[in-house]
Amino acid sequence: MQTKIFNTKEELNRSFTEYLKEILKARERVTVALSGGSTPKSLFDYWADNHRNDIDWNRIFLFWGDERCVPPTDEQSNYNMTKNHLLDYVPIPERNIFRIKGENDPAAEAERYSTLLQMEVEVVNGVPSFDLVILGLGDDGHTASIFPQEMELWKSTQLCVVATHPDSGQKRVSLSGKVINRAQRVAFLVTGAAKAEKVKEIIESRKEVKDIYPAAKVKPVSGNLMWFLDKEAGELLGN
Ligand code: 6PG
């Protein structure tokens, strides 16, 4: 595991972009599972403003680590957020975009997306292996849409699972731990002081967090796990 802490979001975004470019040097066709929520907006805006032309978007194939079960036009939709901050601004072909269809029946969509992953993502030892999975971290230690109240979903034998937000009851479709930990690379993208405590607990494994926080169960078999933090999110590390 490698942890990088940045003074500003701009510096974080620049470093993350270099990280992506390194992957593009190594692979012709790069499959990326995006995180949702609000954190990625800054990175997506940065790419939209600065990297329309010097990233070969034609070779990037976008998927989602999770999606809310709402229509793609809903302001809660991770796809809608990504469209508004990235997809509408960079020349990525429509055929390279594989959204989770939040408008569908959740169980049917989990099934559909699981099948799609097996067709569109390179299968390694029987499991679709993304070149990169980007993850966020919830204040409660969730990641993707695997919540602490549903830890059993992490170790599902399914590739995609139906989760339920513990507060709102909103249904979500999420990658399971099986897919996340078989990615070639996993990168947490975490900013803001609200995440600092969980970041510390998880990175420093200060207490038995692996049994209570889904994010603490992210241990890619490849060993390639990176944490991209701004200084607020990383402020409690090391002390
Ligand atoms: C989602 C995300 C989720 C998110 C964390 C952090 O659909 O909400 O995929 O895992 O990454 O909840 O969310 P913020 O970036 O909004 O803090």
Side-chain angles (χ1 to χ4, degrees):
M1 174 186 349
Q2 219 185 326
T3 303
K4 293 188 169 190
I5 302 175
F6 301 90
N7 284 327
T8 67
K9 285 186 181 169
E10 170 93 9
E11 286 170 19
L12 187 160
N13 294 337
R14 194 176 307 124
S15 176
F16 199 99
T17 304
E18 289 316 306
Y19 174 68
L20 176 63
K21 286 184 174 182
E22 282 307 303
I23 300 171
L24 280 161
K25 281 180 192 163
R27 298 272 299 178
E28 177 58 26
R29 182 180 188 274
V30 174
T31 55
V32 182
L34 300 174
S35 58
S38 57
T39 300
K41 290 177 184 173
S42 169
L43 179 63
F44 295 169
D45 289 341
Y46 177 78
W47 284 342
D49 294 344
N50 303 287
H51 292 283
R52 294 182 188 193
N53 305 312
D54 75 331
I55 286 180
D56 189 352
W57 295 99
N58 209 39
R59 294 199 290 117
I60 294 177
F61 294 78
L62 294 180
F63 303 76
W64 275 261
D66 66 318
E67 182 59 276
R68 293 84 180 277
C69 292
V70 295
T73 51
D74 191 297
E75 52 93 26
Q76 288 257 353
S77 162
N78 287 332
Y79 166 78
N80 192 42
M81 179 276 284
T82 310
K83 184 175 186 306
N84 292 339
H85 290 268
L86 179 65
L87 303 181
D88 285 350
Y89 302 98
V90 297
I92 186 165
E94 196 61 36
R95 66 177 178 279
N96 289 30
I97 299 166
F98 300 91
R99 70 179 181 89
I100 298 172
K101 296 183 177 178
E103 67 273 28
N104 286 353
D105 166 76
E109 182 57 17
E111 188 65 38
R112 185 195 73 86
Y113 209 65
S114 296
T115 304
L116 181 146
L117 293 183
Q118 293 172 79
M119 293 191 294
E120 299 295 343
V121 178
E122 184 176 358
V123 174
V124 177
N125 298 328
V127 180
S129 176
F130 283 101
D131 291 304
L132 173 60
V133 170
I134 304 174
L135 293 175
L137 174 65
D139 298 359
D140 60 355
H142 80 259
T143 194
S145 278
I146 309 290
F147 295 94
Q149 295 83 345
E150 294 182 311
M151 286 295 278
E152 72 284 359
L153 291 181
W154 180 267
K155 52 180 182 293
S156 168
T157 56
Q158 304 302 312
L159 301 179
C160 298
V161 292
V162 177
T164 305
H165 191 285
D167 302 329
S168 66
Q170 184 185 63
K171 291 295 179 192
R172 309 273 187 94
V173 172
S174 177
L175 297 183
S176 64
K178 178 175 181 176
V179 175
I180 291 170
N181 277 342
R182 300 289 282 272
Q184 296 304 307
R185 299 164 198 80
V186 178
F188 274 101
L189 180 58
V190 186
T191 59
K195 310 291 174 71
E197 185 61 39
K198 287 294 181 295
V199 163
K200 181 180 184 66
E201 285 181 340
I202 291 167
I203 288 182
E204 295 180 356
S205 302
R206 281 296 170 90
K207 60 184 190 188
E208 275 318 297
V209 293
K210 67 177 171 35
D211 298 327
I212 54 172
Y213 301 148
K217 301 186 88 66
V218 176
K219 294 189 185 321
V221 170
S222 67
N224 294 326
L225 175 59
M226 292 277 286
W227 286 79
F228 287 83
L229 306 169
D230 68 358
K231 65 177 181 299
E232 289 77 14
E235 64 189 357
L236 299 178
L237 289 177
N239 56 31

